[in-house]
Amino acid sequence: MKFSENWLREFVNPDLSTQALVDQLTMAGLEVDGFDPVAAAFNKVVVGEILETSPHPDADKLVVCRVSSGTEEHQVVCGAPNARAGIKVPFALVGAKFPDLKIKKAKLRGVESHGMLCSERELGLSEDHQGLMELPLEAPVGDNIIDYLNLDDSIIDLDLTPNRSDCLSMIGLARETGLINQLDVNEVDLQKVEPSIEDTFPVELSAGAACSRFVGRIVRNIDQSAQSPLWMKEKLRRSGLRSIDPVVDVTNYVMLELGQPLHAYDHAKLKDKIVVRQATAGEKVTLLDGSEVETLADTLLITDGSGPIGLAGVMGGLSTSVTHETKDIFLEGAFFAPTAIAGRARSYAHRFERGVDWQGQKRAIERATELLIQISGGQAGPVTETVDSSNLPTEKTIELRASRVSRVLGVDIDNRVVDDIFARLNFPASTTDDNGELVWIVSAPSHRFDIAIEADLIEEISRVYGYNNLPTRTPVASLSMSKKAETELSLNRVRDHLVGRGYFEAITYSFVDTTMQAALDPEQTPIALANPLSAEMSVMRTSIWPGLVKSLIYNVNRQQARVRLFESGLCFSQPANQAGLAFDNISQIKKLAGVVCGPRQDENWSNDPQLVDFFDVKGDIESVLALTGQAESFQFVAQSHPALHAGQSAAIQKDGATVGYVGLLDPRIQQQLDIRFPIFLFELTADSVIAKKLVHSEPMSRFPEVRRDIAVIVDQGVTAAELRQCITTGATDTLQNLKLFDVYQGKGIDPNRKSLAIGLTFQHASRTLTDDEINDSVDKIVASLEAQFGASLRN
């Protein structure tokens, strides 16, 4: 909310600078975003009057003006389209200084010019420079424009919390400022307008608590051609509103002054009676901005005999709008419950959905009538008030315990200080004794509808007492270290490890597209959402792959050739053939997944440009599994998956149970997604990763280790994992390590067989091994391989 500092000071004028005032408001809970002067810094600008204009002899778009500055006349060359004799405008004399300009005597196309006639932009009032800023005809020629327009002012920008809508008005801000500074507030001098005609218009309330009060008044024979006074235009402009016509200006002004939105109807366009009711689905109304909306069933409507004529608390209808030809109006001031307007915010709805004073409608109508008749004349009818008493809000009474104030604020505030605070807040309060404890019985005024419970009163006390006056104390608490099992691997450690291997962590939605879900995990039936945000987020994920693949596509489409993403999160599933879905039947499984595509290494003159393959991703997974300290309990078993390439997929098993999958995305799905690079995916349950084997230390052997390399020829179907298992089973405990370092197929080898080169490292803990012992161990290993796989040593 923006407002003029000078307007606020008309109500209450503390002896504070602008900076001190805004600091004070902020500390009272009304945060100020900033403040700016209403105009640019300039001097020697006065009210001038154009006495005469004549065409420029050498320029079609320029005119030569004879301008009076009050004491003398000046010749000024001007190009504004509205420059004409008889108007009064801001006139910058020779020597006037602006932030980026100094006015000097000049010649424009050969004609001397002594000064400058100003638009609003030259004065820094707005960006409007379509023409000269026209002043009222009664403006005194020669007066300093700063004094005449009261430009020694600041525009303060306030950011209010939703509960303080009472401060969306000047009177509300004045109450707060007076409260803080212990000053009296100059209330609005409201002059009640006695009716001079007896005309009324019937109103019916049929919306229950959504609209429980509707105040109206007919005003006839207004002059819409009248001009709003300069003071009103300026106050509106400094609050961010443009002057339009007397009716709009007055309703906007009263809204800013008293906080009550008003609406005016062209009385001649109203039919039968006004009815406030809930809409039926599909009703249409054309709004003031020309847009046609189709209402939902819970929309609050203003209707008459012709149908809907406005969205209550949001925007009026075009069919009953006030125009320049309007002579008779019907003013509306209503109380709409915030819950009936919330979520439909446009225009005034911002105020209604936060709440307004439910007793302020009649006062606002009287104020608007007074101002409107002053500006545009007319005769007012009686004020009519239609009330649904059973649904009107009631004044709230709240009990406040003295002990509760001390406990919450951490300071003992004298009871007399609390009494004074309530008095300054205009909260009627009395005290009583409840088993020896002092209790205040407080009534909240209607404009402070945010006060509902004991904590609200304590907040008010703390604001007025001063947050800076509350003691600052270091909390004292008994803290104990939480237990952490050494046999549990933190997922944060796994995340850090993957980042270290070049992956980026992603966070994707748990809601995914049905098509993508079916392509990547067709064997699971996902849980459908009753009210999805969009068609692409209509089911809950059973796998993390859909979200990661979508993120990968997004990055590839933006010239990111090398993509490595991982995510850990919950996946959701339900039992098959379930008749009804219940929360208890939904399984939530935490998983760790990743997607990889593109080159194996970042682009560099010294790096290998080859694309990533199955074994690169398998190596990344093995490095993660090694963190558990029990990598030997995991196996990669060739196994198909509906979303993976049949020849390049594997199940990840732990102690024989499948805990995940890794492989190349099925080419058919890859083609469907229009990805030119192969995509590799992996996913495994988080529980399988976080179970960690406790590390035990053993002394290192002081004796040398011996390595022997062997190359064995086996059938192509034999895997390295099977060889490893066979070797570790058949070897003695002196075998410390084995490593596959070469695979060969080609010349000299049977086409149906392959050669695997394995490095064997032997070491004894307490002595040096002899050649005979090592040869014996190697012979046992070779014999075991020959017996199980028909392996033979390669010569």
Side-chain angles (χ1 to χ4, degrees):
M1 172 188 174
K2 293 183 178 180
F3 66 92
S4 159
E5 179 187 353
N6 285 351
W7 193 5
L8 174 63
R9 290 184 183 274
E10 290 177 15
F11 292 96
V12 60
N13 189 12
D15 186 16
L16 298 171
S17 66
T18 303
Q19 183 64 59
L21 176 63
V22 299
D23 290 344
Q24 194 180 69
L25 290 173
T26 297
M27 288 308 298
L30 310 178
E31 183 179 356
V32 176
D33 281 345
F35 64 93
D36 297 291
V38 299
F42 58 81
N43 62 6
K44 298 188 72 174
V45 180
V46 299
V47 176
E49 181 180 7
I50 301 179
L51 302 175
E52 181 183 70
T53 63
S54 58
H56 191 288
D58 293 323
D60 294 338
K61 294 185 178 181
L62 298 178
V63 294
V64 180
C65 303
R66 186 162 58 88
V67 182
S68 171
S69 63
T71 57
E72 57 182 313
E73 295 180 1
H74 309 261
Q75 177 175 286
V76 180
V77 178
C78 178
N82 63 332
R84 64 190 187 277
I87 65 171
K88 294 181 179 179
V89 297
F91 176 40
L93 301 169
V94 172
K97 291 183 180 180
F98 293 87
D100 53 358
L101 178 67
K102 183 176 181 180
I103 305 302
K104 301 177 181 178
K105 293 180 182 179
K107 279 190 177 183
L108 297 178
R109 295 287 187 93
V111 177
E112 287 191 353
S113 181
H114 302 270
M116 180 178 71
L117 303 179
C118 303
S119 68
E120 290 186 4
R121 188 166 75 170
E122 275 85 42
L123 301 182
L125 299 178
S126 73
E127 291 301 312
D128 183 11
H129 63 291
Q130 298 300 314
L132 300 177
M133 179 182 180
E134 296 189 29
L135 302 174
L137 295 179
E138 63 270 16
V141 177
D143 270 19
N144 188 319
I145 201 71
I146 293 177
D147 297 333
Y148 178 70
L149 293 178
N150 195 18
L151 297 182
D152 187 14
D153 189 12
S154 297
I155 297 175
I156 299 175
D157 190 0
L158 206 60
D159 185 14
L160 292 173
T161 54
N163 65 313
R164 291 309 307 273
S165 60
D166 60 298
C167 291
L168 285 171
S169 66
M170 297 308 302
I171 192 64
L173 288 171
R175 288 192 194 105
E176 283 296 304
T177 307
L179 168 70
I180 302 166
N181 293 282
Q182 300 188 37
L183 296 174
D184 293 333
V185 175
N186 300 319
E187 293 287 344
V188 176
D189 184 17
L190 184 62
Q191 300 295 324
K192 185 177 180 181
V193 178
E194 296 297 333
S196 56
I197 58 175
E198 298 301 321
D199 298 358
T200 61
F201 195 80
V203 175
E204 179 182 316
L205 302 181
S206 301
C211 179
S212 54
R213 173 176 275 137
F214 191 107
V215 180
R217 186 175 214 173
I218 292 175
V219 182
R220 292 194 181 278
N221 299 319
I222 63 170
D223 180 9
Q224 275 285 74
S225 64
Q227 290 293 313
S228 298
L230 181 64
W231 61 264
M232 180 177 287
K233 289 182 178 180
E234 278 299 296
K235 286 178 178 178
L236 291 174
R237 184 186 66 79
R238 297 175 196 187
S239 300
L241 297 176
R242 183 169 57 92
S243 174
I244 297 176
D245 60 46
V247 172
V248 174
D249 290 354
V250 165
T251 54
N252 282 339
Y253 180 85
V254 172
M255 177 186 69
L256 293 171
E257 184 181 59
L258 301 180
Q260 171 64 46
L262 300 175
H263 183 67
Y265 304 89
D266 189 325
H267 180 263
K269 299 175 183 177
L270 291 173
K271 307 295 182 185
D272 301 332
K273 64 179 179 180
I274 283 180
V275 179
V276 184
R277 61 172 175 82
Q278 298 288 355
T280 56
E283 289 188 273
K284 294 182 178 180
V285 57
T286 302
L287 301 177
L288 286 172
D289 61 0
S291 63
E292 183 180 70
V293 297
E294 186 172 315
T295 62
L296 301 175
D298 61 346
T299 303
L300 190 61
L301 287 181
I302 308 294
T303 68
D304 70 354
S306 65
I309 58 172
L311 298 180
V314 179
M315 186 177 288
L318 188 63
S319 63
T320 56
S321 62
V322 174
T323 66
H324 288 294
E325 289 74 36
T326 298
K327 294 296 182 184
D328 306 327
I329 65 167
F330 179 67
L331 279 174
E332 165 213 303
F335 172 70
F336 301 116
T339 52
I341 307 300
R344 301 166 182 84
R346 291 173 69 180
S347 187
Y348 299 148
H350 171 67
R351 296 169 185 268
F352 275 121
E353 73 176 357
R354 290 192 175 196
V356 298
D357 184 351
W358 57 274
Q359 293 184 349
Q361 290 72 45
K362 191 171 181 178
R363 185 182 186 210
I365 289 289
E366 288 283 8
R367 178 63 167 159
T369 306
E370 175 194 355
L371 292 172
L372 186 60
I373 291 177
Q374 287 177 7
I375 297 169
S376 59
Q379 296 86 44
V383 175
T384 59
E385 186 173 14
T386 307
V387 177
D388 182 354
S389 301
S390 62
N391 285 303
L392 267 181
T394 56
E395 291 189 357
K396 298 169 185 173
T397 301
I398 307 107
E399 293 187 359
L400 174 64
R401 295 161 291 173
S403 61
R404 189 67 179 166
V405 176
S406 301
R407 181 178 178 185
V408 173
L409 299 183
V411 60
D412 292 326
I413 300 178
D414 190 276
N415 295 337
R416 290 170 296 180
V417 174
V418 176
D419 289 333
D420 179 62
I421 289 173
F422 286 147
R424 287 158 57 193
L425 283 166
N426 291 320
F427 287 8
S430 60
T431 57
T432 185
D433 186 276
D434 184 10
N435 295 324
E437 181 178 12
L438 179 66
V439 177
W440 284 275
I441 310 297
V442 183
S443 298
S446 59
H447 66 269
R448 289 304 306 273
F449 41 83
D450 59 304
I451 305 299
I453 59 177
E454 188 178 44
D456 295 331
L457 293 175
I458 296 174
E459 181 183 359
E460 291 301 298
I461 292 171
S462 63
R463 283 194 321 107
V464 180
Y465 184 75
Y467 294 128
N468 289 336
N469 295 325
L470 297 177
T472 302
R473 294 175 180 167
T474 303
V476 178
S478 176
L479 302 178
S480 59
M481 297 292 291
S482 57
K483 294 182 179 179
K484 180 173 176 60
E486 291 186 82
T487 56
E488 183 176 310
L489 177 65
S490 168
L491 268 180
N492 286 335
R493 175 70 182 90
V494 176
R495 295 186 186 104
D496 291 342
H497 180 78
L498 286 171
V499 169
R501 292 185 71 89
Y503 285 77
F504 288 88
E505 184 173 11
I507 300 176
T508 64
Y509 286 107
S510 298
F511 308 143
V512 296
D513 178 51
T514 306
T515 305
M516 184 82 80
Q517 169 68 36
L520 296 175
D521 195 7
E523 295 179 349
Q524 291 272 10
T525 302
I527 300 169
L529 299 179
N531 297 296
L533 297 173
S534 68
E536 294 183 351
M537 303 175 72
S538 57
V539 296
M540 300 184 75
R541 67 186 182 189
T542 61
S543 165
I544 302 179
W545 284 349
L548 285 179
V549 170
K550 185 177 179 180
S551 296
L552 181 141
I553 295 171
Y554 181 90
N555 281 274
V556 169
N557 289 343
R558 283 156 182 78
Q559 292 79 49
Q560 300 299 313
R562 185 175 186 267
V563 181
R564 291 168 171 251
L565 301 174
F566 78 93
E567 180 179 1
S568 60
L570 291 174
C571 294
F572 309 88
S573 61
Q574 59 181 330
N577 303 320
Q578 188 73 24
L581 182 63
F583 183 78
D584 293 337
N585 293 333
I586 298 175
S587 298
Q588 302 183 68
I589 303 172
K590 194 156 195 175
K591 295 184 179 182
L592 175 70
V595 291
V596 180
C597 82
R600 178 178 289 127
Q601 297 175 307
D602 284 326
E603 185 177 13
N604 185 280
W605 65 270
S606 64
N607 286 346
D608 186 351
Q610 290 186 351
L611 297 180
V612 69
D613 62 21
F614 176 88
F615 295 101
D616 293 316
V617 180
K618 178 174 176 285
D620 291 335
I621 300 171
E622 287 177 328
S623 71
V624 171
L625 300 180
L627 298 175
T628 67
Q630 46 185 345
E632 67 282 353
S633 64
F634 291 89
Q635 297 85 37
F636 290 81
V637 180
Q639 188 172 315
S640 62
H641 184 281
L644 303 177
H645 190 293
Q648 294 195 52
S649 65
I652 306 171
Q653 295 184 346
K654 182 179 182 181
D655 299 327
T658 299
V659 296
Y661 287 91
V662 59
L664 175 67
L665 183 65
D666 190 304
R668 292 167 295 183
I669 302 176
Q670 178 183 331
Q671 185 177 7
Q672 178 184 340
L673 299 176
D674 194 25
I675 301 294
R676 66 181 185 273
F677 293 133
I679 299 175
F680 291 90
L681 307 96
F682 68 85
E683 184 173 65
L684 62 162
T685 59
D687 287 345
S688 63
V689 177
I690 63 174
K692 179 183 176 183
K693 182 180 179 181
L694 195 61
V695 176
H696 297 281
S697 62
E698 293 181 357
M700 293 181 62
S701 174
R702 298 182 292 106
F703 299 93
E705 59 182 28
V706 179
R707 171 167 167 159
R708 294 287 176 88
D709 295 342
I710 61 173
V712 295
I713 299 174
V714 295
D715 292 338
Q716 285 194 20
V718 178
T719 66
E722 290 173 327
L723 288 181
R724 174 184 289 272
Q725 181 66 31
C726 179
I727 292 172
T728 55
T729 302
T732 63
D733 57 1
T734 59
L735 179 65
Q736 299 298 312
N737 189 25
L738 64 94
K739 180 180 293 185
L740 174 69
F741 64 88
D742 185 48
V743 179
Y744 175 74
Q745 290 176 277
K747 185 177 180 181
I749 302 294
D750 188 321
N752 295 320
R753 291 167 73 82
K754 61 185 175 182
S755 171
L756 302 178
I758 304 169
L760 305 173
T761 302
F762 300 92
Q763 187 181 38
H764 198 280
S766 58
R767 59 185 176 84
T768 302
L769 292 172
T770 65
D771 285 343
D772 290 340
E773 290 175 316
I774 295 171
N775 291 336
D776 183 56
S777 295
V778 172
D779 290 341
K780 287 181 179 179
I781 290 171
V782 172
S784 179
L785 293 173
E786 182 179 2
Q788 187 167 344
F789 302 110
S792 61
L793 284 175
R794 179 183 173 191
N795 295 325

